[in-house]
Amino acid sequence: MPGPNEHDGGSPPGPTGVDLVGQTLEALAAVADAPPEERAQRLRAALPASLAELAEANRRLRETAHRRDALLGTAAGELRRAAGLVANDGADAAGLSEAARLRAVADELERLLRPAPEARPARRAARTPNPRARLLVVDDEPDAREVLSEALQPDYEILAAEDGEAAVEVARAERPDVVLMDLSMPRLDGLQALERLRSDPSTADIPVIFVSGQGDDAVKVRSLDLGAVDYLQKPFSERELRARVERTLRLVRSQIALRELAQTDPLTGLANLRAFRARLEEEVKRARRYHTPLTCVMADMDNLKPVNDELGHAAGDRAIAAVAAVIREELRETDFGARYGGDEFVLLLPHTSAEEGRVFAERACARLHATELELGGRRIPVGASFGVACLPEGGEHGAEALVRAADDALYAAKRSGRGRVMVADLPDPPTVHPM
């Protein structure tokens, strides 16, 4: 009977993923300095023989977690590099076909790296970033959509829509990173679709590149005035298309980084007061529209002043950051936390009743009560008081009334002895009687 590390059958084991990656690397190194035509021929001769073995190695790697991610990531990267070499300048039809085949294998490897979908956890968990940007291709001509998709498919995740109306719906549901859209389409043309996207807060920031055969300057100016980030006129090369897309993606990343920097408190990593005020209005409108509860929680640290006085403000900053870290760990994916100012924090909990908000606050309060921070050679207890208020389903109170009620509950908790949670009832809004 074979042992746990022995093979059941009599045939010897095939090459491992490491062997095959090594073979790929050797093949690439051997032709790196060769002329383009010779390089393409030698790669086509060296690589296809190992593709079947590589696929079999991938099957075996799926069954074992040991070093799988590192091996598959390396293999996919090297196969993409090989595809680029094969499809380099002067490649014939056979070379392009071979490059497509290598890219397909690389795509399969990258799919294996993606985690299986899991139920969303109650607490905030770090998202696994998608290695490929998501592009929405919009054109009423199926052939045109196919040409664009095939040109971009190896390196991007492609969504498709057949006209402007469908494009708006897909953009709202999928939030693509970039939209590539034709101008002349039925139901809703490109300019009308762009206006719809810009008028909806959920899609207003999605960059749009127009891809059209119309070369009229007035049309180009009109599209840019409406908010398009670029205009690509047909016919165009694949290289130009990719350059325009990559330029737009870099611009998007820079804008996101700047926006996050402008809306983030540098000490705690939570949102700042400006970002909170914008989010508050959005959440109140959403709660009214869908008749769902919205809970606001205010938190204020207990006894921070003695820490600042005795150990300095640097120690006080560490205490504030420690409280923020505990609060952040308690937030769910849909929750929002911000530093309200000084040692105060404010949290928005959508789809959360007053009782659920109280449970949340008591859990955070208990965790903070059990937390101690070592500062200046001393162990300093960290604690906070909490105030909770809820905008009930169908409630007509305004955003300021919700925050004011949570703030009143917070100070009631402070007066009651600190380290406590108090829940406030929102007063009935004033009734306006007709004259």
Side-chain angles (χ1 to χ4, degrees), residues 30-231:
V31 300
D33 298 326
E37 293 184 3
E38 180 183 349
R39 182 168 55 199
Q41 291 176 356
R42 292 175 63 182
L43 279 172
R44 286 198 298 272
L47 291 174
S50 65
L51 289 179
E53 295 176 336
L54 184 58
E56 176 61 18
N58 294 339
R59 185 191 65 78
R60 293 196 301 273
L61 286 171
R62 279 197 297 266
E63 300 171 355
T64 174
H66 180 61
R67 299 177 63 190
R68 187 197 69 166
D69 289 357
L71 290 172
L72 294 184
T74 302
E78 294 303 329
L79 283 172
R80 288 200 184 282
R81 184 181 170 197
L85 291 172
V86 171
N88 207 353
D89 296 340
D92 55 13
L96 294 175
S97 175
E98 190 59 35
R101 186 181 177 192
L102 292 171
R103 289 188 182 119
V105 176
D107 287 344
E108 177 61 24
L109 295 182
E110 289 180 348
R111 277 192 287 271
L112 296 176
L113 287 171
R114 297 174 191 166
E118 298 177 355
R120 195 175 81 183
R123 294 184 183 177
R124 183 183 299 274
R127 297 182 187 177
T128 300
N130 189 334
R132 297 193 297 170
R134 178 180 290 186
L135 310 183
L136 172 58
V137 174
V138 187
D139 200 301
D140 60 317
E141 293 290 338
D143 290 344
R145 291 199 304 271
E146 184 176 356
V147 167
L148 279 175
S149 300
E150 287 184 353
L152 298 167
Q153 186 76 48
D155 297 318
Y156 306 99
E157 181 181 347
I158 304 300
L159 305 170
E162 68 276 8
D163 56 44
E165 191 77 38
V168 173
E169 295 175 2
V170 174
R172 287 170 177 166
E174 301 293 341
R175 295 302 308 275
D177 297 296
V178 177
V179 176
L180 295 105
M181 184 156 54
D182 188 23
L183 276 174
S184 302
M185 296 180 291
R187 290 210 297 171
L188 203 67
D189 66 29
L191 295 177
Q192 293 170 327
L194 177 60
E195 289 181 306
R196 290 264 191 98
L197 293 173
R198 291 292 172 264
S199 64
D200 187 337
S202 67
T203 58
D205 294 333
I206 299 176
V208 174
I209 300 175
F210 277 116
V211 182
S212 175
Q214 298 185 33
D216 184 78
D217 287 344
V219 174
K220 294 180 182 180
V221 171
R222 173 63 174 160
S223 66
L224 296 174
D225 285 343
L226 288 176
V229 298
D230 207 347
Y231 191 104

Side-chain angles (χ1 to χ4, degrees), residues 281-365:
E281 294 295 336
E282 292 176 8
E283 292 295 349
V284 168
K285 290 178 182 178
R286 188 177 294 113
R288 287 175 175 170
R289 184 183 307 122
Y290 298 108
H291 300 281
T292 56
L294 172 65
T295 288
C296 178
V297 178
M298 295 284 292
D300 183 74
M301 292 179 62
D302 297 329
N303 303 314
L304 178 64
K305 189 175 185 303
V307 175
N308 285 331
D309 292 344
E310 297 176 22
L311 301 174
H313 286 278
D317 287 348
R318 284 188 59 193
I320 293 173
V323 171
V326 171
I327 290 175
R328 187 166 49 246
E329 289 174 0
E330 291 294 333
L331 296 176
R332 303 167 302 178
E333 185 75 22
T334 55
D335 298 336
F336 183 84
R339 186 182 180 191
Y340 200 64
D343 57 348
E344 277 192 296
F345 303 89
V346 60
L347 317 171
L348 295 176
L349 313 179
H351 305 280
T352 302
S353 66
E355 176 60 21
E356 291 169 332
R358 181 189 63 79
V359 171
F360 167 90
E362 289 184 345
R363 184 170 62 243
C365 186

Side-chain angles (χ1 to χ4, degrees), residues 218-274:
V219 174
K220 294 180 182 180
V221 171
R222 173 63 174 160
S223 66
L224 296 174
D225 285 343
L226 288 176
V229 298
D230 207 347
Y231 191 104
L232 183 59
Q233 185 174 341
K234 302 175 183 176
F236 51 83
S237 68
E238 181 176 329
R239 181 175 295 179
E240 181 184 9
L241 171 64
R242 288 176 171 274
R244 299 285 186 101
V245 170
E246 280 301 317
R247 171 186 169 277
T248 301
L249 287 172
R250 286 195 299 272
L251 178 63
V252 169
R253 295 187 197 105
S254 298
Q255 290 175 339
I256 291 174
L258 289 172
R259 188 183 305 119
E260 290 181 351
L261 186 63
Q263 296 181 348
T264 301
D265 175 64
L267 175 61
T268 64
L270 296 172
N272 59 22
L273 184 58
R274 177 189 301 175

